[in-house]
Amino acid sequence: MCGLIGCTGVKCAAKILYGGLEDLEYRGYDSAGIAVLEKGKIVAAKRKGRVCALKTAAEELCGTSGIGHTRWATHGRPSDENAHPHTSGRFSVVHNGIIENYSKIKEELEGEGYEFSSQTDSEVVVHLLNKYYRGDLKETVLCAVERLKGAFALCILCEGYEGFVAVKYRNPIIVGYGSGGALYAASDMPALAGLSGSVAVLKDGQIAFASEGKISFCDFYGEPVCLTFSPVPAAARSTRLGGFPHYMIKEINEIPAAVKNTAHAFAEEKCFAALSRAAKKRGGFGEIFMCGCGTAYHSALAASYFAEAELGIPVRAETAGEFRYKKSAVGGGTLFVAVSQSGETADTVEAARAAKAAGAYVVALTNVPYSALTGIADTVVPVRAGTEICVAATKSYCGQIAALALLSATLKGGTAYSRTLADLKEIGAKCSAAISDCGVEDVARACASSSGVYFIGRGIDYPVALEGSLKLKEVSYVPGEGYPAGELKHGTIALIDGGTLAVAVITDRSLGEKTASAVEQIYSRGGRAAVVCAEGCAPSNLAERADFIIEVPACPAYLSPIVSVIPLQLIAYRTAVILGRDPDKPRNLAKSVTVE
Ligand code: F6R
């Protein structure tokens, strides 16, 4: 949800900022902009569209300090005018987040004669800075942030100050030291990986002043604060395509490593001990709530099937956006698991905050160890999928299922944990086999020419069907839905006609016949069907009749979502490519949804 970058003390700020924006583009690609201090004066360039649209204009900028922005539009459509940075007087600002009270401030500022050149909420920030400036930059920033409500990470440039200011409240910002006195800030680690030796993650209510080789910090009351710097995590470093045509297919190929590294990390970070201790201290958990958004919700939903069966207590999965506004009965006996690749999704972070306030024990299950979610949680269960650049989540979903399986096994006790570790060791090879052998091209062609694709499954195959449908929609824009196989006949079947394709997921032999009946109902209405099944799980009559059949290696039922999702991810990827879409940057989306 918008990417920010700032730098000072470098030879050519615009060049660094442009490179950083390319790394941050997954956070939004509606427009991009850069402002630099050229001979003490602010000079800006901004363009609607992808970062590459800014290239020529960026090459004309010089100066050693600057700020940059890549936008995911919230207030105001994508346009040159609404692109950041916004400038007023001696200030230029880039913003990630939402200023909730912007209308009131805008009215006040307009009344005082400030002219707005955009429809964004962000522009109020720069006019406030201009309004409060009396010669002291720190005082000015403190006065401006005091007025703001909502969520904001900011980078500020000010004529007369050779450097930049970074502000953090509910949206991420990281600062770092580079070589030769260079200083940096960015929304995320990968943008700093090649630039900074050591980095510090700002907490809510902190401000960094970066100038002349030094970064100093204060809080929103102006009191100095100390931050700990540490090296950039190794996982943030490898974000290049490495011969793959797209990040989506690269990241699907990284699923075996994601599962393996997640299992290692669970042991390394002593999650077993922390979770066992917490369960013991609370006399065991009476129920588990798992929350996430989009793909993370789907992994939580899949886990709710195996965890409830394993633990014999109610395990519920809910979308974080619903949970946070509901009068839920979570309390001291609840284990609340917040699942999020980025650890920054606003709804998931707020749901975790609400659960914690209600007395639940909160686990953050995330791929980003320095995220907002980890700051709230009682325990962090790491997902080690590595940096995920493609906007559509793939390897992180599989890493999440692996981590959730280990969490469930830990709570079960006895031999469950060692059994799960052993099962996960076998999964990597099965995933590799699914990636290289499952042959999705014909199904992808059928999807590309379908008016709608319905993904169906029963039991643990249902969340996988939901995930298959989400993946196809978001990267190829082919309409579709995920449905429990038994529910199709209760209404949605009215949509089935000759242009419809159904994809049935079957990994449980005992439910195969049931799902096969749903497929028969689709055939009877003229639709076509593809069956994605674990080896030997499709009933023979269905295997013979299906228009397409894709087999993946069989594995223990609770881990099947890790393997059975792979053909669905590949179908979505190939459909997008066949239709000429960019699977890495689907329209209207951004990877981290840090606003409500
Ligand atoms: C879909 C996708 C999104 C995310 C969702 C949550 O491919 O990527 O649905 O899963 O926005 O994001 P995180 O996991 O970062 O909280």
Side-chain angles (χ1 to χ4, degrees), residues 548-574:
F548 312 96
I549 185 131
I550 295 171
E551 268 199 349
V552 294
C555 68
Y558 70 110
L559 297 180
S560 66
I562 298 179
V563 185
S564 60
V565 81
I566 289 173
L568 306 186
Q569 293 172 343
L570 290 169
I571 289 168
Y573 171 69
R574 285 303 307 159

Side-chain angles (χ1 to χ4, degrees), residues 38 52 58 90 130 204 226 265 285 349-350 380 405 546 576 581 589:
E38 268 184 28
C52 59
R90 58 173 58 229
N130 191 9
D204 282 345
C226 252
F285 293 110
V349 171
E350 292 311 318
V380 177
R581 320 285 193 221
L589 297 181

Side-chain angles (χ1 to χ4, degrees), residues 248 291-299 339-349 365-368 373 388 390-394 396-397 400 467 470-471 474-475 586 589-593:
M248 185 169 179
C291 266
C293 297
T295 293
Y297 163 66
H298 296 159
S299 66
V339 183
S340 172
Q341 186 283 129
S342 62
E344 297 291 346
T345 299
D347 282 334
T348 311
V349 171
L365 196 133
T366 178
N367 198 31
V368 181
L373 200 54
E388 199 174 55
C390 176
V391 165
T394 53
S396 63
Y397 165 87
Q400 285 161 3
E467 178 56 11
L470 176 63
K471 220 74 320 171
E474 72 177 322
V475 300
L589 297 181
K591 187 142 187 82
S592 309
V593 186

Side-chain angles (χ1 to χ4, degrees), residues 275 277-289 313 323 328-336 354-363 378:
L275 289 166
R277 240 191 341 263
K280 203 166 159 199
K281 210 166 151 194
R282 296 193 179 211
F285 293 110
E287 58 166 4
I288 301 178
F289 251 96
I313 55 170
F323 176 84
S328 180
V330 300
T334 310
L335 173 65
F336 183 91
K356 181 126 189 208
Y361 185 85
V362 174
V363 168
D378 295 296

Side-chain angles (χ1 to χ4, degrees), residues 285-291 304 307-308 311 313-317 330 333-337 404 407-408 411:
F285 293 110
E287 58 166 4
I288 301 178
F289 251 96
M290 298 186 178
C291 266
S304 71
E308 184 156 316
L311 301 172
I313 55 170
V315 181
R316 274 204 272 162
V330 300
T334 310
L335 173 65
F336 183 91
V337 186
L404 287 162
L407 181 146
S408 173
L411 297 174

Side-chain angles (χ1 to χ4, degrees), residues 235-298:
R237 292 180 187 273
S238 56
T239 56
R240 297 287 174 235
L241 273 170
F244 287 96
H246 298 103
Y247 281 104
M248 185 169 179
I249 188 67
K250 173 179 184 265
E251 289 165 3
I252 291 172
N253 275 272
E254 288 168 351
I255 287 172
V259 172
K260 184 172 155 209
N261 294 340
T262 297
H264 274 160
F266 196 90
E268 224 172 67
E269 307 269 326
K270 306 192 173 39
C271 299
F272 183 86
L275 289 166
S276 309
R277 240 191 341 263
K280 203 166 159 199
K281 210 166 151 194
R282 296 193 179 211
F285 293 110
E287 58 166 4
I288 301 178
F289 251 96
M290 298 186 178
C291 266
C293 297
T295 293
Y297 163 66
H298 296 159

